[in-house]
Amino acid sequence: MDLKTKLEELAQTSVTRIEESTSLKDVENLRVQLLGKKGELTDLLKMMKDLTKEERPVIGKLANEIRDDLTTKLADKKEELEEEALNKQLQEETIDVTLPGRTVKKGQTHIIHQVMEQMEDLFLGMGYNIIEGSEIVSDYLNFERVNVPQDHPARDMQDSFYINEHYLLRTQTSAVQPLVIEAHDFTKGPLKVISPGKVYRRDSDDATHSHQFHQIEGIVVDEGITMSDLMGTLEVMSKKIFGADRVVRFRPSYFPFTEPSVEVDVSCFKCNGAGCNICKKSGWIEILGAGMIHPNVLEMSNVDSTKYSGFAFGVGPDRMAMLQYGVDDIRQFYMNDQRFLSQFSKEGAE
Amino acid sequence: MLVSYNWIKEYVDLTNISPDELAEKFTLGGLEVDGMERLGQELSGLVVGEVLTCEKLEGSDHLNKTTVSVGEEILPIVCGAPNVAAGQKVVVAKVGAILPGDFEIKEAKIMGETSHGMITSLDELGFSDSIIPKYAEDGIFILADGAEVGVDARPYLGLDDTIIEFDLTPNRADALSMRGVAYEAGAVLDQTPTFEEITVIEDDSDSVEDYMSISVEDPEDTPVYKMRLVKDVTIGESPIWMQHKLMHAGIRPIDLIVDITNYVMLEFGQPLHAFDYEKLDSNEIYVRRANQDEVLTTLDGQDRKLSPENLVITNGEKAVALAGVMGGANSQVTEKTNTIAIESAIFKPVLIRRTASQLNLRSEASSRYEKGVNYATAQSAVDLAAKLMAELGGGTIVKGTAEAVAKEAEDTVVETTIDRVNGVIGTDLNADDISEILSRLAFEHTITEGTITANIPPRRWDIEIPEDLIEEIARIYGYNNIPVTLPVTESTPGELTAAQKATRRVRELLEGSGLQEAISYSLTSPEKATRYSISEGDMVRLQNPQSEDRVALTQNLVGGLIDNANYNRAHQVTDIALYEVSHVFYKVSEEQFDEYTHVAGLLTGESGKSWLGEWEALDFYTIKGLVEVLLADYSFAEDLTFKLATDRLGMHPGRTADIYLGETLVGYVGQLHPTDTKENDLGDTFVFELSLDQLVEADKEAITYTALNRYPGSSRDIAILVDETVTHQALEKVIQENGGDYLQNIHLFDLYDGENIEAGKKSIAYSLYFANPNATLKEEEVNAGFDAVKQALIDRFNVEVR
């Protein structure tokens, strides 16, 4: 057999051998066997020296072609097997994607604070600042300075926790009002503040009463502040919290620290005004009290009530949350049962 | 206050105004209607009947067999009432009638007798026990002879009315009277209420001066005291119309005299008291403060020990009534009373309020006195009472009124301007608009050149200053007609303070780490208030606690979180992760109390097994990790250190660290003491508490940017054997101090004190990373730093380098 035939035969059988290899290792071995320094092709080429001058380039060319061809075929085969192996691996790695993920625990803000934060953000956006104030206050600040003198019938409305003769736990965030108004420098612009925080009343705890609850007080004082401004502000707030489709109505009311005073109702969000157990069949739900700051309160805080006027409002986040979510026992807010707390963790529909 | 729609109708025209419409107008006008009761609406089949025959039912000791005419037919009815008798007009519930509670009357057979209906009592008709007159308590209700047989019985029972229940604000005590409500109805309906004139027919032959003179110790306490005398009164039951009005207002009819005083009080809001004149045993009334320990037996038979805080009515010597609160037994009107002395007085509200609450004797009268009464009607009230006693009790009225009046009724003049009105409300009302509103309120007024002068009658004693008047104008104009705007002011930046931002940031971090926010009670037991406090101090205690377990203001939040954990455990919640941001309280002096904002957290329970088969137990380092996350949020100027706290109350002595910022204690973190854990029915529990205020206020370093290192650094590991008592913090500090300028980072990567380690020792390993930001680090430089560290560790702690 001449060299050419041998080469062609090698080419022939090698193709079959490549095709028949089943592993990457086989292919690598084959590459060494065929094309390595001591490989079969190299062996055959050693016989080139016996060829004639004329034959050499022809056979050389043929040998190169065969080498190139086998190299390509080996590479192809390798790639093919690699892909096969990858597919096999992927197949084997398939898992049940419906199994639950590893638990990453997530907490959430207490529902009362969620309601409060929502209000804070709304009012921050309207240029208000937040002042919390202290929870222990003098009776002078809690009552006298907000126009509730000793023996005023309004003191009947709230029984208080006293610490000594002159200090008590604030019964209302309005106790923050006097100091805030007094401290404000009106040459630097209007006073716009909200005061969120805890308040205390000497009540026996039951489903609708808690000796500790929350309030958010809002105060604006400037020249030319009107009831219209108050009502506009309350409407924005009510709709923000209870939904834009609520109807808001205002009723005259009485608070010692405001005159005129306002009570705000929204159309019942359960029955839409038709009358149900939530709104006590009236179609309306009382949500907050407000009014124009009483001139006595302004004067006692050294503000000229003929020049400046202002409004104040107070909201109860506990009540709001109870209404909004149908929580029927206020004590739930302070027991901190995690099954209760965690219900308010999702971003719900507006 | 319960108000009868029919009664209001006597004063204003309600022809086209339903009770609902009226209620809505009241509510929007400021008298909030809390509820409506449509009397008799749920009842049916009630007719007036006449008992024709009545005989004992054979074989029964109490049942009667009656025949009752109901107009078109005569019904046989078996009746068990003891007071049933032939000739009576009664209320019959026919077969098919519906009584309260949806109770349907059916034909019945009782001891062989067929009964076609029921003769009813007030109780069966739904009247509350508290208002049914004594005479009607036992047995059927007997109607007046004039009742027309066969017609609907409800009007005869006053059950054709609607009762409007007001929830009055304290300033509107004027609406605690029917006349006050009538004026309000007039204002909201734009009508003028009309009142019948009270004509008193006096006996000219007698003069009150011959019977009575009035004097008061202090006109401040008793600005008005009036008394009329009515002789020869026959005391029986009051007429049924009056009884209905009283019952509708929630007052039980008693007898003619009591009913008249109550009736007049309802009409005018003026409480009255009736004395038995003869029993006064004197021609004199003197009103004074009680003497210390003076005793008066009140109408309810109780001996009341009084003090100068209380005001008493005396006959010149002894007390005969507790002013404004309750009469004395010694001057009580009885059936035998012949001459009635009617008191119509006004007392200082505070005195009545104190006395009523001190003796726990709140009544319709005292609650009106507390809130003030109308000076203008003290005379009208006593006139009407005398008139009614004369007319209904056959008495004669002694001429004149004995009185001591220090303060006459007069209008209050309130002045403001149209500009001020519009300036406060935000409206654009003109003089005519305002005048019309003031007329509706029946306030005399003038408006000239923009100045409004209004004469406020005494019946509206709540209106004193311009703002009060402006509110009146606004509410009659209609709050919901006021244009709605937002304040137009110089714009102000609304922003959170550093402390507020810190609170929000803490929430984010802890919630992101899986903790739920709790809000606990600030009030707790003295024990819990102090047990887990970061630092000691005087506790703030309540003077008047409501319950034993809420006596003191807490000094820590951990105690509340433990309560919460305990509550959760009791409700089968085992995996507990809570935090709280709240105030804690310290007493500095009687006038100074400190409040600080703290943040605390609690972890307990187990994560539970998952299908993944892994489960990480909580330990000290879990909670410490949380604390480190919180603290890493600040670039404090001073060093943070953790020091083993062996004697913190309630905490594990070997697993608790106090946290210092520089020299200042800012909090602690650790494991709850096993005793506390057990007491609260918890498993291993880990807590921390930090003073958020101190963290926020602490000095911070400015954040400076350092360019990223472009040159490669190199790491060297060191493993050492060291005494168990040497802390990581101490080792790290020595490494830091001796590592040289190029030591960038120290990383603890192994800690081992198990097998193959000598007792009392531990093996600990750090990886030190060296780098030079300005050049590639040379081998010698790294070695120099590393060797220095090694040597220092050996020198300081006698470590063995492994």
Side-chain angles (χ1 to χ4, degrees):
Chain A
M1 233 189 306
D2 65 357
L3 186 52
K4 184 171 178 262
T5 317
K6 280 180 176 163
L7 279 172
E8 280 166 352
E9 198 174 311
L10 176 66
Q12 193 73 47
T13 54
S14 296
V15 169
T16 317
R17 285 161 73 191
I18 290 171
E19 274 168 8
E20 282 168 358
S21 4
T22 56
S23 72
L24 287 171
K25 204 176 157 199
D26 288 353
V27 178
E28 181 55 19
N29 288 342
L30 201 54
R31 189 188 63 80
V32 177
Q33 264 176 44
L34 296 175
L35 308 176
K37 276 183 187 153
K38 290 174 185 168
E40 292 171 29
L41 183 63
T42 318
D43 278 354
L44 285 180
L45 291 182
K46 282 178 187 154
M47 295 158 76
M48 290 270 283
K49 61 181 190 309
D50 304 329
L51 295 179
T52 62
K53 221 174 176 181
E54 294 72 32
E55 280 172 325
R56 250 182 232 168
V58 181
I59 297 298
K61 191 175 171 239
L62 177 67
N64 279 339
E65 278 170 10
I66 289 170
R67 176 187 293 275
D68 287 352
D69 184 48
L70 289 181
T71 305
T72 310
K73 286 213 162 60
L74 279 164
D76 287 351
K77 185 65 186 176
K78 191 179 168 207
E79 201 176 303
E80 184 194 316
L81 286 172
E82 272 171 351
E83 201 180 311
E84 225 168 72
L86 184 62
N87 283 338
K88 192 168 169 241
Q89 184 196 346
L90 292 176
Q91 179 108 42
E92 282 165 3
E93 282 173 359
T94 300
I95 55 166
D96 179 358
V97 296
T98 68
L99 283 169
R102 236 175 223 102
T103 313
V104 176
K105 283 203 269 178
K106 173 185 162 294
Q108 72 284 315
T109 306
H110 193 287
I111 178 60
I112 301 265
H113 284 159
Q114 287 184 36
V115 171
M116 286 167 81
E117 236 176 58
Q118 193 187 5
M119 296 265 293
E120 288 172 13
D121 290 344
L122 174 69
F123 283 101
L124 284 168
M126 298 201 287
Y128 288 60
N129 285 301
I130 304 172
I131 299 176
E132 280 107 350
S134 64
E135 293 172 24
I136 299 175
V137 294
S138 64
D139 61 348
Y140 176 66
L141 278 181
N142 193 72
F143 293 124
E144 250 93 328
R145 284 286 297 272
V146 288
N147 208 30
V148 188
Q150 201 81 40
D151 285 312
H152 191 288
R155 285 207 184 182
D156 245 10
M157 291 157 79
Q158 41 197 326
D159 209 348
S160 332
F161 283 120
Y162 275 87
I163 288 157
N164 57 37
E165 205 188 336
H166 293 301
Y167 285 84
L168 73 163
L169 291 179
R170 66 179 177 193
T171 60
Q172 51 198 11
T173 41
S174 309
V176 178
Q177 263 192 47
L179 294 184
V180 166
I181 297 174
E182 191 173 277
H184 188 72
D185 179 357
F186 284 94
T187 61
K188 297 202 173 129
L191 172 69
K192 291 162 86 177
V193 157
I194 64 167
S195 291
K198 284 196 185 97
V199 297
Y200 305 83
R201 304 265 169 99
R202 198 169 170 277
D203 257 331
S204 296
D205 293 345
D206 63 25
T208 52
H209 296 87
S210 177
H211 72 273
Q212 168 183 303
F213 57 103
H214 295 78
Q215 280 188 345
I216 303 170
E217 181 92 357
I219 318 166
V220 171
V221 182
D222 197 10
E223 287 179 51
I225 297 294
T226 66
M227 277 180 85
S228 291
D229 297 333
L230 167 62
M231 288 170 169
T233 305
L234 295 177
E235 193 168 289
V236 167
M237 180 177 85
S238 306
K239 291 194 170 187
K240 171 76 188 168
I241 289 173
F242 290 108
D245 51 348
R246 294 298 94 204
V247 184
V248 179
R249 83 171 185 185
F250 303 99
R251 284 185 289 112
S253 189
Y254 171 77
F255 306 103
F257 28 88
T258 53
E259 190 72 36
S261 302
V262 187
E263 201 120 27
V264 184
D265 299 334
V266 292
S267 52
C268 179
F269 35 77
K270 190 178 176 199
C271 66
N272 235 333
C276 68
N277 58 340
I278 292 221
C279 60
K280 290 198 279 176
K281 306 225 183 297
S282 70
W284 297 95
I285 292 180
E286 191 177 309
I287 54 161
L288 64 92
M292 301 302 291
I293 298 175
H294 198 289
N296 292 355
V297 175
L298 292 175
E299 294 292 341
M300 282 189 279
S301 297
N302 300 320
V303 172
D304 180 355
S305 69
T306 57
K307 185 174 176 197
Y308 293 97
S309 60
F311 62 71
F313 55 85
V315 196
D318 300 62
R319 185 174 147 72
M320 291 227 180
M322 288 177 85
L323 288 171
Q324 228 173 345
Y325 296 101
V327 175
D328 57 5
D329 192 334
I330 192 171
R331 289 170 295 196
Q332 288 289 6
F333 293 132
Y334 303 102
M335 292 295 117
N336 302 301
D337 188 322
Q338 291 190 158
R339 296 166 304 166
F340 175 82
L341 298 175
S342 60
Q343 289 186 43
F344 308 103
S345 66
K346 296 187 175 97
E347 189 77 19
E350 281 279 314
Chain B
M1 172 83 179
L2 301 172
V3 170
S4 148
Y5 172 84
N6 286 350
W7 197 345
I8 304 173
K9 208 155 64 176
E10 294 175 20
Y11 305 124
V12 290
D13 179 9
L14 297 179
T15 313
N16 291 314
I17 297 140
S18 70
D20 282 324
E21 285 165 335
L22 184 62
E24 163 110 1
K25 284 196 188 289
F26 277 136
T27 294
L28 291 177
L31 297 191
E32 188 184 353
V33 173
D34 208 28
M36 307 264 284
E37 194 188 351
R38 287 161 189 82
L39 301 177
Q41 205 185 44
E42 51 169 14
L43 310 177
S44 70
L46 296 175
V47 294
V48 176
E50 182 171 7
V51 183
L52 300 178
T53 62
C54 174
E55 54 194 65
K56 285 269 169 231
L57 183 62
E58 254 176 67
S60 162
D61 57 349
H62 69 284
L63 292 177
N64 296 294
K65 193 174 133 184
T66 69
T67 52
V68 182
S69 162
V70 289
E72 290 168 356
E73 51 184 334
I74 293 171
L75 304 173
I77 297 175
V78 175
C79 176
N83 62 334
V84 64
Q88 288 170 338
K89 296 278 176 66
V90 293
V91 180
V92 176
K94 296 205 285 188
V95 170
I98 305 289
L99 293 186
D102 228 1
F103 173 59
E104 192 185 338
I105 300 296
K106 294 186 178 120
E107 193 180 296
K109 257 220 157 79
I110 301 159
M111 299 184 70
E113 291 294 328
T114 315
S115 187
H116 283 264
M118 179 167 130
I119 306 176
T120 58
S121 66
L122 289 187
D123 183 42
E124 285 155 348
L125 291 167
F127 285 77
S128 150
D129 283 346
S130 64
I131 58 167
I132 295 176
K134 278 267 179 303
Y135 70 84
E137 266 179 352
D138 304 310
I140 54 164
F141 187 68
I142 297 150
L143 297 172
D145 285 345
E148 192 184 334
V149 173
V151 304
D152 187 345
R154 285 179 294 180
Y156 289 100
L157 296 162
L159 294 179
D160 54 347
D161 202 351
T162 296
I163 304 304
I164 298 171
E165 186 178 358
F166 285 123
D167 181 10
L168 294 177
T169 51
N171 63 324
R172 292 304 305 274
D174 62 297
L176 287 172
S177 70
M178 288 308 303
R179 290 201 177 209
V181 172
Y183 277 109
E184 180 68 16
V188 296
L189 297 173
D190 197 7
Q191 288 186 28
T192 307
T194 52
F195 304 104
E196 212 174 294
E197 208 183 317
I198 301 161
T199 48
V200 182
I201 300 165
E202 298 174 319
D203 178 3
D204 286 342
S205 65
D206 253 349
S207 174
V208 77
E209 286 146 32
D210 301 333
Y211 294 82
M212 186 54 72
S213 72
I214 312 281
S215 56
V216 303
E217 179 185 46
D218 185 352
E220 286 272 312
D221 289 352
T222 315
V224 176
Y225 196 99
K226 288 170 182 276
M227 188 171 264
R228 263 191 184 279
L229 264 56
V230 186
K231 293 164 79 173
D232 306 323
V233 180
T234 311
I235 303 172
E237 281 167 21
S238 63
I240 198 74
W241 61 263
M242 188 181 281
Q243 294 188 28
H244 286 159
K245 281 182 168 175
L246 294 176
M247 287 194 277
H248 290 167
I251 296 175
R252 185 205 301 274
I254 306 286
D255 62 36
L256 182 66
I257 302 304
V258 176
D259 291 0
I260 286 173
T261 56
N262 280 329
Y263 173 80
V264 172
M265 176 182 70
L266 288 177
E267 176 163 339
F268 286 102
Q270 169 67 57
L272 301 179
H273 182 65
F275 295 97
D276 182 325
Y277 173 72
E278 276 82 21
K279 284 190 193 163
L280 285 177
D281 200 21
S282 142
N283 285 357
E284 186 193 349
I285 288 284
Y286 178 59
V287 188
R288 59 162 168 84
R289 295 293 183 102
N291 302 319
Q292 189 63 46
D293 297 335
E294 184 171 358
V295 175
L296 172 67
T297 311
T298 44
L299 282 174
D300 53 5
Q302 304 257 349
D303 287 345
R304 309 283 178 180
K305 203 177 187 184
L306 307 175
S307 77
E309 287 274 281
N310 312 120
L311 195 63
V312 288
I313 316 296
T314 73
N315 67 351
E317 285 174 20
K318 61 171 202 262
V320 292
L322 194 50
V325 177
M326 196 178 257
N330 55 11
S331 57
Q332 184 175 7
V333 174
T334 63
E335 281 170 37
K336 291 176 196 145
T337 300
N338 185 54
T339 302
I340 308 278
I342 312 163
E343 165 202 288
S344 175
I346 298 176
F347 305 110
K348 190 177 179 179
V350 175
L351 285 176
I352 307 301
R353 186 169 120 92
R354 286 196 193 139
T355 301
S357 70
Q358 175 201 333
L359 302 177
N360 204 12
L361 274 177
R362 283 259 156 80
S363 65
E364 293 273 348
S366 73
S367 74
R368 282 176 174 79
Y369 272 132
E370 283 176 21
K371 295 173 182 124
V373 293
N374 184 0
Y375 276 74
T377 54
Q379 185 65 45
S380 311
V382 75
D383 286 351
L384 179 60
K387 177 181 159 144
L388 289 169
M389 286 181 200
E391 281 174 11
L392 303 171
T396 53
I397 304 168
V398 174
K399 185 179 163 66
T401 304
E403 60 180 23
V405 176
K407 190 181 162 198
E408 297 286 350
E410 52 188 26
D411 288 356
T412 304
V413 179
V414 177
E415 206 178 270
T416 186
T417 62
I418 294 177
D419 285 348
R420 180 74 182 162
V421 170
N422 288 319
V424 170
I425 308 178
T427 41
D428 198 14
L429 301 175
N430 61 32
D432 288 343
D433 301 329
I434 292 171
S435 177
E436 194 202 313
I437 289 171
L438 294 177
S439 299
R440 284 173 66 168
L441 288 160
F443 296 164
E444 281 177 25
H445 61 276
T446 56
I447 303 179
T448 27
E449 289 171 14
T451 298
I452 306 163
T453 309
N455 293 346
I456 311 300
R459 65 179 164 83
R460 287 301 306 276
W461 63 92
D462 59 310
I463 300 172
E464 292 172 331
I465 59 169
E467 283 69 22
D468 296 330
L469 185 65
I470 293 169
E471 180 176 71
E472 291 297 303
I473 295 169
R475 72 184 187 87
I476 299 302
Y477 177 71
Y479 273 19
N480 296 293
N481 298 325
I482 296 171
V484 167
T485 56
L486 283 176
V488 180
T489 62
E490 200 179 307
S491 75
T492 46
E495 55 190 357
L496 296 170
T497 62
Q500 289 157 357
K501 280 182 195 152
T503 301
R504 289 201 178 192
R505 188 82 184 113
V506 161
R507 282 188 188 150
E508 272 172 37
L509 291 169
L510 292 178
E511 285 162 21
S513 307
L515 279 72
Q516 306 196 44
E517 191 190 21
I519 302 179
S520 314
Y521 291 123
S522 307
L523 287 168
T524 183
S525 67
E527 225 264 303
K528 283 182 188 158
T530 50
R531 189 165 180 83
Y532 307 101
S533 313
I534 296 176
S535 42
E536 287 178 10
D538 282 347
M539 180 179 14
V540 186
R541 274 174 176 275
L542 292 183
Q543 202 178 42
N544 60 338
Q546 173 90 343
S547 68
E548 266 174 42
D549 50 349
R550 313 234 171 266
V551 177
L553 284 159
T554 194
Q555 293 180 347
N556 66 82
L557 305 180
V558 162
L561 294 179
I562 293 172
D563 285 347
N564 299 333
N566 176 261
Y567 184 88
N568 274 284
R569 270 304 267 259
H571 291 82
Q572 285 87 46
V573 180
T574 50
D575 183 15
I576 301 161
L578 293 166
Y579 82 95
E580 178 161 6
V581 180
S582 246
H583 285 198
V584 299
F585 307 83
Y586 287 87
K587 176 174 160 183
V588 180
S589 71
E590 289 298 331
E591 283 92 44
Q592 200 196 329
F593 303 92
D594 282 347
E595 283 178 43
Y596 305 105
T597 303
H598 280 193
V599 53
L602 177 147
L603 299 176
T604 187
E606 40 197 59
S607 315
K609 267 189 190 151
S610 80
W611 62 272
L612 290 156
E614 20 183 282
W615 169 125
E616 200 177 328
L618 294 170
D619 62 17
F620 172 84
Y621 300 104
T622 318
I623 192 116
K624 190 182 177 194
L626 280 180
V627 172
E628 284 168 338
V629 164
L630 288 183
L631 295 173
D633 220 35
Y634 302 90
S635 64
F636 295 117
E638 291 184 290
D639 285 344
L640 270 168
T641 44
F642 288 79
K643 288 183 189 158
L644 182 67
T646 49
D647 53 2
R648 201 164 251 298
L649 208 60
M651 299 299 293
H652 191 304
R655 293 187 174 178
T656 300
D658 279 349
I659 305 164
Y660 286 88
L661 186 55
E663 298 298 310
T664 317
L665 176 70
V666 294
Y668 67 90
V669 55
Q671 182 171 352
L672 207 59
H673 197 286
T675 317
D676 293 54
T677 307
K678 203 172 158 196
E679 228 163 69
N680 289 287
D681 198 22
L682 299 169
D684 286 355
T685 301
F686 303 89
V687 298
F688 75 86
E689 179 145 349
L690 291 166
S691 166
L692 199 54
D693 284 339
Q694 279 174 313
L695 301 186
V696 171
E697 282 155 23
D699 290 339
K700 310 286 187 317
E701 275 174 346
I703 292 173
T704 46
Y705 167 72
T706 324
L708 299 180
N709 203 341
R710 287 179 292 143
Y711 301 96
S714 76
S715 284
R716 291 290 167 87
D717 293 349
I718 179 169
I720 53 178
L721 199 62
V722 63
D723 282 354
E724 221 166 39
T725 51
V726 177
T727 63
H728 157 73
Q729 197 164 273
L731 292 168
E732 194 181 40
K733 188 159 179 253
V734 168
I735 296 172
Q736 186 65 55
E737 283 167 1
N738 294 280
D741 292 343
Y742 303 132
L743 176 61
Q744 304 282 329
N745 187 21
I746 307 164
H747 176 61
L748 166 73
F749 71 90
D750 189 44
L751 175 66
Y752 185 69
D753 58 0
E755 262 176 72
N756 305 327
I757 299 289
E758 201 180 315
K761 299 267 183 189
K762 63 185 171 189
S763 162
I764 189 164
Y766 295 94
S767 172
L768 313 184
Y769 178 75
F770 296 87
N772 179 355
N774 302 317
T776 303
L777 210 53
K778 295 197 184 81
E779 178 86 14
E780 311 85 81
E781 290 170 329
V782 177
N783 288 344
F786 190 67
D787 291 344
V789 166
K790 236 195 291 192
Q791 198 52 51
L793 287 173
I794 293 166
D795 292 349
R796 286 288 302 280
F797 303 115
N798 195 23
V799 306
E800 185 188 318
V801 178
R802 291 155 64 93

